[in-house]
Amino acid sequence: MTLWYLARAAGEMALVMFSVATSLGALGAGSKQPEGRVWLQYVHRSAAVTGLALLATHVVAVIADSYVSLSTSVLIWPLGAGYRPFAMLLGVLALYGLVLAAIVGAARGRLARFEGITKRWRAIHIAASLGWLLSVGHSLLAGTDRGTPWMLAITIGCLVAVGTSAAIRMRRRADQVSTPLSLARARRSR
């Protein structure tokens, strides 16, 4: 029973930490203030590493717990799981995306000298955002508490935080694009 509680708590806290990391990643990418951006990146990375540790705890606890009866093979063939296979598929894909982004992120400094990697960084790093989204789906479909008010409140809070951060980022990007266009139009009309 203790493993079941640990698995649930670690899974939920991993979702929260990945939501913090995703939100701060979105906000930091559009930040024009270097000091603020450095701080956001530091907290973004710290939240992501904490989320990875909690994710590892969640996976180990779920596999070790006899309540769910999952084996390590679920990490390779999640649709073969006896417990909510589609939800397991979402969870495993989220795990793959988050770990891929973490590995590439950790090696980014060393790989920066390769132009091809630098150009593809954002495309590879998007795996973390997709991993986060898949983890929300996994949480809503696999969790034993998925229908409780507190679980729905946590999930909605995570969705609102990331959605708001993404909207702020898109607004900043639109402002950056429209400002040079507005200046160019103003100059032409003179």
Side-chain angles (χ1 to χ4, degrees), residues 128-152:
S129 299
L130 294 173
W132 171 80
L133 189 58
L134 290 167
S135 69
V136 171
H138 171 74
S139 175
L140 289 172
L141 295 174
T144 54
D145 298 316
R146 67 188 183 277
T148 62
W150 65 267
M151 181 58 209
L152 291 173

Side-chain angles (χ1 to χ4, degrees), residues 10-29:
E12 283 314 305
M13 290 311 300
L15 177 63
V16 169
M17 294 311 293
F18 286 131
S19 297
V20 169
T22 304
S23 296
L24 294 177
L27 291 173

Side-chain angles (χ1 to χ4, degrees), residues 22-74:
T22 304
S23 296
L24 294 177
L27 291 173
S31 178
K32 289 289 187 185
Q33 302 166 341
E35 305 83 25
R37 186 173 179 164
V38 169
W39 181 84
L40 283 174
Q41 286 179 350
Y42 177 76
V43 179
H44 161 77
R45 289 178 187 146
S46 298
V49 168
T50 303
L52 286 168
L54 288 163
L55 179 59
T57 303
H58 172 69
V59 170
V60 169
V62 165
I63 290 172
D65 187 16
S66 60
Y67 177 79
V68 182
S69 185
L70 292 175
S71 70
T72 55
S73 65
V74 76

Side-chain angles (χ1 to χ4, degrees), residues 71-95:
S71 70
T72 55
S73 65
V74 76
L75 298 172
I76 298 183
W77 182 246
L79 292 174
Y83 180 81
R84 300 180 182 160
F86 182 71
M88 294 302 113
L89 174 66
L90 294 179
V92 169
L93 291 175
L95 171 77

